[in-house]
Amino acid sequence: RAGGLMYPWLTGIAGARAFGGAPVWYIRRTRAKRMAEFERQFPEALDFISRSVRAGHALSISREMLATEAEAPLGPEFRRLANELNLGTPFDVGLRSLGERVPLVDVKFFVSAVLLQRETGGNLTEILANLATMIRSRFRLKGHVRAMSSQARITALVLTVLPIFLAIGLWMISPEYLRSMARDPIGRYMIMGAILGQIVGYFIMKRIVNFKV
């Protein structure tokens, strides 16, 4: 007979997935924070390069100055780019490597704009300034969308957490009710179905309220 609220093998699988997925979750969360911080710093970096080039510095000098003065994570990434170029890596290869290490849409725009300017000519300072303005406008739009969707996100959180607190309260008030349900084969399937439904519903609601800007 199964002990607890679920079959032992299902409990083992759930535990293995939870503990095994914890390092992956931590790495993804750290990476997401790093990308968000890079994205926040990027408009200022573009303005820095634009002003430096307008003042008469070469693009390579401006890039190295940014790599030295900028904070992490933007500074180390541009420092790595500068080191690669100093060691003989072609300019287009180095820029594309930056775009691969930092897979953000803004960085891809930056790489494409600089490479296109080198091939066709044009005012690089104006291109970078316009790109920085566009990124800031997108940040403002993202903030508006996040503010408008805050009620939906709170609703999704309440709908996810409320059944958990309800189950805890029911266990504290009448533990025999859940025990008898767990002892019944159909009751165990109902409990597992409820837990699975909560998980699936959480991810569906998260996808609904997660707008890409």
Side-chain angles (χ1 to χ4, degrees), residues 42-212:
F42 199 53
E44 295 297 330
L46 295 179
D47 284 338
F48 180 89
I49 296 176
S50 177
R51 292 192 299 266
S52 180
V53 172
R54 188 181 292 115
H57 297 291
L59 178 60
S60 58
I61 301 299
S62 303
R63 194 174 55 245
E64 291 182 1
M65 291 170 59
L66 177 64
T68 303
E69 298 181 9
E71 298 179 356
L74 189 140
E77 288 294 341
F78 273 85
R79 195 174 306 121
R80 179 174 176 178
L81 173 63
N83 292 336
E84 290 178 352
L85 298 179
N86 291 336
L87 291 175
T89 302
F91 184 77
D92 57 336
V93 175
L95 273 185
R96 290 193 176 95
S97 297
L98 174 64
E100 292 175 357
R101 292 194 305 271
V102 188
L104 297 175
V105 176
D106 302 331
V107 177
K108 295 184 185 299
F109 283 157
F110 167 73
V111 172
S112 300
V114 172
L115 293 180
L116 185 63
Q117 189 273 338
R118 286 176 64 89
E119 294 179 1
T120 62
N123 191 339
L124 180 60
T125 59
E126 184 177 353
I127 293 173
L128 296 180
N130 291 337
L131 182 58
T133 302
M134 183 193 70
I135 295 173
R136 290 192 177 95
S137 299
R138 191 168 64 83
F139 279 166
R140 286 194 294 269
L141 178 60
K142 184 185 293 186
H144 291 321
V145 170
R146 186 170 181 82
M148 294 176 63
S149 63
S150 60
Q151 183 177 358
R153 286 186 281 108
I154 293 174
T155 303
L157 179 62
V158 171
L159 291 176
T160 302
V161 174
L162 185 60
I164 299 176
F165 282 102
L166 182 61
I168 295 174
L170 186 60
W171 177 267
M172 295 175 64
I173 296 172
S174 180
E176 187 59 31
Y177 179 81
L178 289 181
R179 289 197 189 102
S180 61
M181 190 175 183
R183 285 193 292 266
D184 185 77
I186 299 178
R188 288 197 294 268
Y189 283 117
M190 292 176 63
I191 293 173
M192 288 187 291
I195 295 174
L196 182 61
Q198 280 295 112
I199 295 173
V200 173
Y202 167 77
F203 283 107
I204 291 176
M205 289 186 291
K206 187 177 180 180
R207 291 290 298 272
I208 291 175
V209 300
N210 186 21
F211 300 99
K212 298 292 185 181

